[in-house]
Amino acid sequence: MKVVVAKSAGFCFGVKRAVDSVYEQIENNDNDKKIYTYGPIIHNEEVVKDLEKRGVSVINSIDELKKVKNGIIIIRSHGTTKETYDIIEDNGLTLVDATCPFVKKIHKIVQDEKDKEKHIIIIGNSAHPEVQGIRGWSGNDTTVIGNEEEAERFELKENKQVCIVSQTTFNYKKFKYLVEIITKKGYDISVLDTICNATHERQAEAKKIAAEVDEMIVIGGKHSSNTQKLYEICKNECNHTYYIQTLDDLDLSNFKEDSYVGITAGASTPNNIIEEVHTNVRIKF
Ligand code: F3S
């Protein structure tokens, strides 16, 4: 059996930085302050459980955050709204901002463009925390567009310029397609492709590998949108694509001795999980 692991599998720069910052806080917490992350630090249950064991709690909503009057709050790589920063400051909490710099850049863009009175379009999934965070900086005159229907339906209420940005983990092809639909409406549009290269590279490499192998394994959290997209891309290329969270979910009974197997993983998948799957696939045959 031949096994290939994608070079771009696993933590991207932003997620690694955010996870490392939590472990750093645990290590350097001399004053024994309570440590919180605003939302799970990444979409990976294993990592979140490990952090819980080390005393890190997850705050799940603005209302929960408002009640916290003491401690360290870590903002995850997805970033968050301006309102969240205001509450942290008002409550006298210690802020550790692990927002990925690429997401921060989008916050800055939409804030600047909003100040120029532009209508902001975010191409992305409206339920995703990153998009909700960006929305929190772009003002009320914002539309989130996630699919063809929403793009077709989009109509500018006032005669304004439009600025389009994207969720960092959005599928590049789909982004281009949705922008094309909106552009046809004839508005004065500026498009800023804010899709992160890490995602693009991971998707392109996964597609290439999936097209060549017999079985493709995609590792990542159930709720990780970038892993779900990775799975979609691989499934399109390789019918035998398996979506697993950990080694426990992997059923190797369908694999043949002479199979060519590909492995990739979403941005929130720790290296040790990828390694474990890789090792087990190799030793099985
Ligand atoms: Fe940042 Fe790109 Fe990762 S935006 S969090 S480096 S996918």
Side-chain angles (χ1 to χ4, degrees):
M1 182 186 271
K2 198 175 149 197
V3 187
V4 58
V5 181
K7 287 192 192 77
S8 55
F11 282 4
C12 60
F13 149 79
V15 168
K16 185 174 184 310
R17 184 172 164 269
V19 173
D20 286 351
S21 72
V22 184
Y23 286 99
E24 259 165 42
Q25 289 303 318
I26 296 169
E27 235 171 72
N28 304 329
N29 188 12
D30 298 335
N31 298 330
D32 245 0
K33 279 191 176 177
K34 178 80 191 139
I35 302 174
Y36 302 91
T37 60
Y38 189 60
I41 193 74
I42 53 168
H43 283 305
N44 187 288
E45 286 171 22
E46 307 301 312
V47 176
V48 174
K49 269 187 226 155
D50 181 59
L51 289 173
E52 244 167 45
K53 270 192 251 152
R54 294 164 198 261
V56 178
S57 299
V58 178
I59 294 176
N60 286 305
S61 67
I62 280 277
D63 289 335
E64 269 182 48
L65 178 66
K66 282 179 185 161
K67 289 181 199 141
V68 180
K69 303 288 177 200
N70 200 356
I72 300 168
I73 311 285
I74 305 167
I75 305 283
R76 56 190 174 174
S77 59
H78 293 322
T80 187
T81 59
K82 183 170 182 317
E83 187 195 0
T84 315
Y85 287 87
D86 293 343
I87 295 168
I88 291 170
E89 200 186 331
D90 291 348
N91 285 7
L93 304 167
T94 307
L95 169 71
V96 175
D97 191 354
T99 306
C100 175
F102 298 122
V103 177
K104 264 266 187 272
K105 196 175 131 197
I106 305 177
H107 293 173
K108 167 105 182 49
I109 292 171
V110 295
Q111 219 182 355
D112 289 351
E113 300 298 292
K114 172 195 80 170
D115 291 346
K116 290 182 202 154
E117 304 289 321
K118 290 192 187 177
H119 182 89
I120 311 290
I121 294 180
I122 307 164
I123 304 276
N125 171 2
S126 59
H128 194 282
E130 182 195 317
V131 172
Q132 289 167 349
I134 299 169
R135 248 205 123 132
W137 295 89
S138 64
N140 290 332
D141 208 4
T142 300
T143 310
V144 179
I145 292 178
N147 57 40
E148 191 179 340
E149 207 199 333
E150 287 166 359
E152 297 282 7
R153 230 191 300 137
F154 174 72
E155 208 183 294
L156 203 54
K157 301 270 181 317
E158 286 172 82
N159 189 14
K160 275 185 159 190
Q161 287 180 310
V162 178
C163 169
I164 303 181
V165 294
S166 171
Q167 180 182 342
T168 55
T169 48
F170 208 75
N171 180 288
Y172 183 69
K173 257 192 175 166
K174 207 167 154 191
F175 172 74
K176 286 263 170 222
Y177 178 57
L178 297 181
V179 167
E180 226 176 81
I181 296 175
I182 303 163
T183 307
K184 278 188 193 144
K185 294 174 189 281
Y187 301 127
D188 182 357
I189 293 175
S190 56
V191 182
L192 292 151
D193 170 5
T194 48
I195 294 176
C196 172
N197 265 348
T199 310
H200 187 56
E201 276 163 24
R202 189 182 297 105
Q203 289 176 349
E205 193 187 12
K207 186 172 188 241
K208 189 170 174 284
I209 293 174
E212 289 165 2
V213 296
D214 304 307
E215 329 275 345
M216 185 75 194
I217 301 169
V218 181
I219 317 167
K222 267 202 298 265
H223 306 292
S224 155
S225 70
N226 81 83
T227 313
Q228 284 163 11
K229 276 172 208 151
L230 214 48
Y231 173 74
E232 268 171 43
I233 290 169
C234 292
K235 183 79 182 163
N236 263 338
E237 301 296 325
C238 173
N239 223 354
H240 298 163
T241 297
Y242 309 94
Y243 191 154
I244 63 167
Q245 292 210 79
T246 64
L247 181 65
D248 295 344
D249 305 327
L250 186 63
D251 178 8
L252 287 169
S253 60
N254 295 327
F255 289 45
K256 294 185 198 75
E257 226 168 280
D258 58 351
S259 280
Y260 182 16
V261 181
I263 299 174
T264 188
S268 342
T269 308
N271 224 12
N272 61 319
I273 296 184
I274 304 171
E275 268 310 306
E276 199 181 18
V277 172
H278 184 196
T279 311
N280 274 274
V281 173
R282 269 192 338 221
I283 56 175
K284 163 88 181 161
F285 297 97

